[in-house]
Structure formats: C-alpha cells, structure tokens
Amino acid sequence: MKKNVPLYWLESDNPDVMIRKLNGKVERGSFVDGVFKAIG
C-alpha cells in the first residue's frame, strides 16, 4: 500500500460507520461535507 493513500471500507456491523486505514493507522468515522471525520 502506498504511503499517504487512504483505504476506506464500511464497518460490517454498522454500515453508517466507515473505517479508514492511512499510513498504518486505522480510524472509525464518517464523511461530513466530503471530509473524513474520525469518531472519538
């Protein structure tokens, strides 16, 4: 996987939550006005 290129997928238990993997860091969140916002 390339550095600084995010990979997104939907959480299997809750399709309203997206998962983002970026540079080895995994975060849960959603898109707000076209920008990913991490939860908590």
Side-chain angles (χ1 to χ4, degrees):
M1 184 181 218
K2 292 183 180 180
K3 188 173 182 176
N4 298 322
V5 177
L7 175 65
Y8 295 98
W9 66 93
L10 293 176
E11 187 174 77
S12 59
D13 294 338
N14 184 356
D16 293 330
V17 176
M18 296 202 70
I19 309 295
R20 174 178 74 177
K21 184 173 184 180
L22 178 61
N23 299 331
K25 183 177 180 181
V26 178
E27 295 178 295
R28 297 171 71 240
S30 62
F31 280 95
V32 179
D33 295 328
V35 178
F36 183 81
K37 300 287 184 181
I39 298 172

Short mmCIF file of all heavy atoms in Angstrom, two decimals:
data_model
loop_
_atom_site.label_atom_id
_atom_site.label_comp_id
_atom_site.label_asym_id
_atom_site.label_seq_id
_atom_site.Cartn_x
_atom_site.Cartn_y
_atom_site.Cartn_z
N MET A 1 0.85 -1.19 0.00
CA MET A 1 0.00 0.00 0.00
C MET A 1 0.89 1.24 0.00
O MET A 1 1.89 1.31 0.70
CB MET A 1 -0.90 -0.02 1.23
CG MET A 1 -1.88 1.11 1.28
SD MET A 1 -2.85 0.95 2.79
CE MET A 1 -4.39 1.47 2.19
N LYS A 2 0.48 2.24 -0.78
CA LYS A 2 1.27 3.46 -0.88
C LYS A 2 1.10 4.34 0.34
O LYS A 2 0.03 4.38 0.94
CB LYS A 2 0.86 4.24 -2.12
CG LYS A 2 1.21 3.57 -3.41
CD LYS A 2 0.85 4.44 -4.58
CE LYS A 2 1.20 3.78 -5.88
NZ LYS A 2 0.87 4.61 -7.02
N LYS A 3 2.15 5.06 0.68
CA LYS A 3 2.09 5.99 1.80
C LYS A 3 1.20 7.17 1.42
O LYS A 3 1.20 7.62 0.28
CB LYS A 3 3.51 6.47 2.13
CG LYS A 3 3.57 7.29 3.37
CD LYS A 3 5.00 7.61 3.75
CE LYS A 3 5.00 8.39 5.05
NZ LYS A 3 6.33 8.65 5.53
N ASN A 4 0.45 7.66 2.40
CA ASN A 4 -0.45 8.81 2.26
C ASN A 4 -1.63 8.55 1.34
O ASN A 4 -2.27 9.49 0.88
CB ASN A 4 0.31 10.05 1.80
CG ASN A 4 1.36 10.48 2.79
OD1 ASN A 4 1.17 10.41 4.00
ND2 ASN A 4 2.51 10.89 2.29
N VAL A 5 -1.94 7.26 1.07
CA VAL A 5 -3.12 6.91 0.27
C VAL A 5 -4.07 6.14 1.18
O VAL A 5 -3.77 5.03 1.60
CB VAL A 5 -2.74 6.06 -0.96
CG1 VAL A 5 -3.99 5.66 -1.73
CG2 VAL A 5 -1.77 6.82 -1.86
N PRO A 6 -5.23 6.74 1.51
CA PRO A 6 -6.15 6.06 2.44
C PRO A 6 -6.92 4.93 1.77
O PRO A 6 -7.20 4.97 0.58
CB PRO A 6 -7.10 7.19 2.87
CG PRO A 6 -7.10 8.12 1.71
CD PRO A 6 -5.71 8.05 1.13
N LEU A 7 -7.26 3.94 2.59
CA LEU A 7 -8.13 2.85 2.18
C LEU A 7 -9.38 2.94 3.05
O LEU A 7 -9.27 3.00 4.28
CB LEU A 7 -7.43 1.51 2.37
CG LEU A 7 -8.25 0.25 2.10
CD1 LEU A 7 -8.62 0.17 0.63
CD2 LEU A 7 -7.47 -0.98 2.52
N TYR A 8 -10.56 2.98 2.42
CA TYR A 8 -11.82 3.11 3.15
C TYR A 8 -12.68 1.87 2.94
O TYR A 8 -12.68 1.29 1.86
CB TYR A 8 -12.62 4.31 2.64
CG TYR A 8 -11.97 5.63 2.88
CD1 TYR A 8 -11.24 6.26 1.88
CD2 TYR A 8 -12.11 6.29 4.09
CE1 TYR A 8 -10.65 7.50 2.09
CE2 TYR A 8 -11.53 7.53 4.32
CZ TYR A 8 -10.80 8.12 3.30
OH TYR A 8 -10.21 9.33 3.51
N TRP A 9 -13.41 1.48 3.98
CA TRP A 9 -14.43 0.45 3.84
C TRP A 9 -15.48 0.66 4.91
O TRP A 9 -15.27 1.38 5.87
CB TRP A 9 -13.82 -0.95 3.89
CG TRP A 9 -13.20 -1.36 5.18
CD1 TRP A 9 -13.80 -2.03 6.20
CD2 TRP A 9 -11.85 -1.12 5.63
NE1 TRP A 9 -12.91 -2.25 7.23
CE2 TRP A 9 -11.71 -1.69 6.90
CE3 TRP A 9 -10.75 -0.49 5.06
CZ2 TRP A 9 -10.52 -1.64 7.62
CZ3 TRP A 9 -9.57 -0.45 5.78
CH2 TRP A 9 -9.46 -1.02 7.03
N LEU A 10 -16.64 0.04 4.71
CA LEU A 10 -17.74 0.16 5.68
C LEU A 10 -17.57 -0.85 6.79
O LEU A 10 -17.14 -1.99 6.56
CB LEU A 10 -19.08 -0.07 5.00
CG LEU A 10 -19.51 0.97 3.98
CD1 LEU A 10 -20.81 0.53 3.33
CD2 LEU A 10 -19.67 2.32 4.61
N GLU A 11 -17.93 -0.44 7.99
CA GLU A 11 -17.92 -1.36 9.13
C GLU A 11 -19.01 -2.41 8.90
O GLU A 11 -20.14 -2.07 8.55
CB GLU A 11 -18.18 -0.57 10.42
CG GLU A 11 -18.04 -1.39 11.66
CD GLU A 11 -18.16 -0.55 12.91
OE1 GLU A 11 -19.29 -0.20 13.25
OE2 GLU A 11 -17.14 -0.26 13.52
N SER A 12 -18.67 -3.67 9.09
CA SER A 12 -19.62 -4.74 8.76
C SER A 12 -20.86 -4.75 9.65
O SER A 12 -21.95 -5.06 9.20
CB SER A 12 -18.93 -6.10 8.82
OG SER A 12 -18.41 -6.32 10.11
N ASP A 13 -20.72 -4.38 10.93
CA ASP A 13 -21.86 -4.39 11.84
C ASP A 13 -22.71 -3.13 11.74
O ASP A 13 -23.87 -3.13 12.16
CB ASP A 13 -21.39 -4.54 13.29
CG ASP A 13 -20.74 -5.89 13.55
OD1 ASP A 13 -21.01 -6.84 12.77
OD2 ASP A 13 -19.97 -6.00 14.50
N ASN A 14 -22.13 -2.03 11.24
CA ASN A 14 -22.83 -0.76 11.18
C ASN A 14 -22.42 -0.03 9.90
O ASN A 14 -21.40 0.65 9.88
CB ASN A 14 -22.50 0.09 12.41
CG ASN A 14 -23.27 1.39 12.43
OD1 ASN A 14 -24.00 1.72 11.51
ND2 ASN A 14 -23.11 2.16 13.48
N PRO A 15 -23.20 -0.18 8.82
CA PRO A 15 -22.80 0.42 7.54
C PRO A 15 -22.82 1.96 7.53
O PRO A 15 -22.41 2.57 6.56
CB PRO A 15 -23.81 -0.15 6.55
CG PRO A 15 -24.95 -0.60 7.37
CD PRO A 15 -24.40 -0.97 8.72
N ASP A 16 -23.27 2.59 8.62
CA ASP A 16 -23.21 4.04 8.71
C ASP A 16 -21.82 4.53 9.14
O ASP A 16 -21.53 5.72 9.09
CB ASP A 16 -24.24 4.57 9.71
CG ASP A 16 -25.67 4.35 9.22
OD1 ASP A 16 -25.89 4.35 7.99
OD2 ASP A 16 -26.55 4.18 10.07
N VAL A 17 -20.96 3.59 9.57
CA VAL A 17 -19.62 3.93 10.04
C VAL A 17 -18.59 3.45 9.02
O VAL A 17 -18.64 2.31 8.58
CB VAL A 17 -19.34 3.29 11.42
CG1 VAL A 17 -17.91 3.56 11.87
CG2 VAL A 17 -20.32 3.83 12.45
N MET A 18 -17.68 4.33 8.66
CA MET A 18 -16.61 3.97 7.75
C MET A 18 -15.33 3.73 8.53
O MET A 18 -15.12 4.31 9.59
CB MET A 18 -16.38 5.09 6.74
CG MET A 18 -17.57 5.32 5.84
SD MET A 18 -17.14 6.13 4.33
CE MET A 18 -16.24 4.86 3.51
N ILE A 19 -14.47 2.89 7.96
CA ILE A 19 -13.15 2.63 8.52
C ILE A 19 -12.14 3.21 7.54
O ILE A 19 -12.27 3.02 6.32
CB ILE A 19 -12.89 1.11 8.67
CG1 ILE A 19 -14.03 0.41 9.40
CG2 ILE A 19 -11.55 0.86 9.32
CD1 ILE A 19 -14.21 0.81 10.83
N ARG A 20 -11.14 3.91 8.06
CA ARG A 20 -10.08 4.44 7.20
C ARG A 20 -8.74 3.92 7.70
O ARG A 20 -8.44 4.01 8.89
CB ARG A 20 -10.05 5.97 7.24
CG ARG A 20 -8.87 6.55 6.47
CD ARG A 20 -8.85 8.05 6.47
NE ARG A 20 -8.43 8.55 7.78
CZ ARG A 20 -8.27 9.84 8.05
NH1 ARG A 20 -8.52 10.76 7.13
NH2 ARG A 20 -7.88 10.22 9.25
N LYS A 21 -7.95 3.37 6.79
CA LYS A 21 -6.58 2.98 7.11
C LYS A 21 -5.66 3.90 6.33
O LYS A 21 -5.72 3.97 5.10
CB LYS A 21 -6.32 1.52 6.73
CG LYS A 21 -4.94 1.06 7.15
CD LYS A 21 -4.76 -0.42 6.91
CE LYS A 21 -3.41 -0.87 7.42
NZ LYS A 21 -3.22 -2.31 7.20
N LEU A 22 -4.82 4.63 7.06
CA LEU A 22 -3.91 5.59 6.45
C LEU A 22 -2.57 5.50 7.15
O LEU A 22 -2.48 5.74 8.36
CB LEU A 22 -4.48 7.01 6.57
CG LEU A 22 -3.62 8.15 6.02
CD1 LEU A 22 -3.38 7.97 4.52
CD2 LEU A 22 -4.29 9.49 6.28
N ASN A 23 -1.54 5.14 6.41
CA ASN A 23 -0.18 5.02 6.93
C ASN A 23 -0.11 4.14 8.18
O ASN A 23 0.56 4.46 9.15
CB ASN A 23 0.41 6.41 7.22
CG ASN A 23 0.48 7.27 5.98
OD1 ASN A 23 0.62 6.76 4.87
ND2 ASN A 23 0.38 8.56 6.14
N GLY A 24 -0.87 3.02 8.15
CA GLY A 24 -0.84 2.07 9.26
C GLY A 24 -1.78 2.39 10.41
O GLY A 24 -1.95 1.60 11.32
N LYS A 25 -2.42 3.55 10.39
CA LYS A 25 -3.35 3.94 11.45
C LYS A 25 -4.78 3.67 10.98
O LYS A 25 -5.17 4.08 9.88
CB LYS A 25 -3.18 5.43 11.76
CG LYS A 25 -4.05 5.91 12.90
CD LYS A 25 -3.78 7.37 13.22
CE LYS A 25 -4.64 7.85 14.36
NZ LYS A 25 -4.42 9.27 14.66
N VAL A 26 -5.56 2.99 11.82
CA VAL A 26 -6.95 2.66 11.49
C VAL A 26 -7.87 3.51 12.37
O VAL A 26 -7.72 3.54 13.59
CB VAL A 26 -7.22 1.16 11.71
CG1 VAL A 26 -8.67 0.83 11.41
CG2 VAL A 26 -6.29 0.32 10.84
N GLU A 27 -8.82 4.20 11.72
CA GLU A 27 -9.77 5.05 12.45
C GLU A 27 -11.18 4.77 11.97
O GLU A 27 -11.40 4.46 10.80
CB GLU A 27 -9.47 6.53 12.20
CG GLU A 27 -8.14 6.99 12.72
CD GLU A 27 -7.89 8.45 12.39
OE1 GLU A 27 -7.78 8.78 11.20
OE2 GLU A 27 -7.82 9.24 13.34
N ARG A 28 -12.14 4.91 12.88
CA ARG A 28 -13.56 4.81 12.55
C ARG A 28 -14.11 6.22 12.43
O ARG A 28 -13.69 7.12 13.16
CB ARG A 28 -14.31 4.08 13.66
CG ARG A 28 -13.86 2.65 13.86
CD ARG A 28 -14.46 2.01 15.10
NE ARG A 28 -15.88 1.77 14.92
CZ ARG A 28 -16.85 2.28 15.67
NH1 ARG A 28 -16.55 3.05 16.69
NH2 ARG A 28 -18.10 2.00 15.43
N GLY A 29 -15.05 6.43 11.52
CA GLY A 29 -15.63 7.76 11.38
C GLY A 29 -16.64 7.80 10.25
O GLY A 29 -17.22 6.78 9.87
N SER A 30 -16.84 9.00 9.73
CA SER A 30 -17.78 9.19 8.62
C SER A 30 -17.35 10.42 7.84
O SER A 30 -16.50 11.19 8.28
CB SER A 30 -19.20 9.37 9.15
OG SER A 30 -19.27 10.52 9.97
N PHE A 31 -17.98 10.60 6.68
CA PHE A 31 -17.69 11.78 5.88
C PHE A 31 -18.70 12.87 6.21
O PHE A 31 -19.91 12.64 6.23
CB PHE A 31 -17.76 11.45 4.39
CG PHE A 31 -16.51 10.80 3.89
CD1 PHE A 31 -16.41 9.43 3.82
CD2 PHE A 31 -15.43 11.57 3.50
CE1 PHE A 31 -15.26 8.82 3.36
CE2 PHE A 31 -14.27 10.98 3.05
CZ PHE A 31 -14.18 9.61 2.98
N VAL A 32 -18.20 14.06 6.49
CA VAL A 32 -19.02 15.24 6.75
C VAL A 32 -18.60 16.31 5.76
O VAL A 32 -17.43 16.71 5.75
CB VAL A 32 -18.84 15.74 8.21
CG1 VAL A 32 -19.68 16.98 8.45
CG2 VAL A 32 -19.19 14.65 9.20
N ASP A 33 -19.52 16.72 4.90
CA ASP A 33 -19.22 17.71 3.85
C ASP A 33 -18.01 17.30 3.04
O ASP A 33 -17.15 18.13 2.70
CB ASP A 33 -19.01 19.10 4.47
CG ASP A 33 -20.27 19.65 5.12
OD1 ASP A 33 -21.38 19.33 4.63
OD2 ASP A 33 -20.15 20.36 6.12
N GLY A 34 -17.89 16.00 2.73
CA GLY A 34 -16.82 15.50 1.88
C GLY A 34 -15.49 15.30 2.56
O GLY A 34 -14.51 14.97 1.92
N VAL A 35 -15.43 15.48 3.89
CA VAL A 35 -14.18 15.33 4.64
C VAL A 35 -14.38 14.23 5.70
O VAL A 35 -15.37 14.21 6.40
CB VAL A 35 -13.80 16.66 5.34
CG1 VAL A 35 -12.53 16.50 6.15
CG2 VAL A 35 -13.63 17.77 4.32
N PHE A 36 -13.40 13.31 5.79
CA PHE A 36 -13.50 12.24 6.77
C PHE A 36 -13.31 12.81 8.17
O PHE A 36 -12.34 13.51 8.44
CB PHE A 36 -12.42 11.18 6.51
CG PHE A 36 -12.50 10.00 7.45
CD1 PHE A 36 -13.42 9.00 7.23
CD2 PHE A 36 -11.68 9.92 8.55
CE1 PHE A 36 -13.50 7.90 8.09
CE2 PHE A 36 -11.75 8.84 9.42
CZ PHE A 36 -12.67 7.83 9.18
N LYS A 37 -14.22 12.50 9.06
CA LYS A 37 -14.16 12.92 10.46
C LYS A 37 -14.12 11.68 11.34
O LYS A 37 -15.04 10.87 11.31
CB LYS A 37 -15.37 13.78 10.86
CG LYS A 37 -15.52 15.05 10.06
CD LYS A 37 -14.48 16.07 10.46
CE LYS A 37 -14.73 17.36 9.71
NZ LYS A 37 -13.77 18.39 10.02
N ALA A 38 -13.04 11.53 12.11
CA ALA A 38 -12.89 10.37 12.98
C ALA A 38 -13.82 10.49 14.17
O ALA A 38 -14.10 11.59 14.66
CB ALA A 38 -11.45 10.25 13.45
N ILE A 39 -14.29 9.35 14.67
CA ILE A 39 -15.15 9.29 15.85
C ILE A 39 -14.26 9.15 17.09
O ILE A 39 -13.41 8.28 17.13
CB ILE A 39 -16.11 8.09 15.79
CG1 ILE A 39 -17.04 8.21 14.59
CG2 ILE A 39 -16.90 7.96 17.06
CD1 ILE A 39 -17.88 6.97 14.34
N GLY A 40 -14.53 10.00 18.06
CA GLY A 40 -13.89 9.91 19.37
C GLY A 40 -12.43 10.06 19.34
O GLY A 40 -11.63 9.82 20.09
#
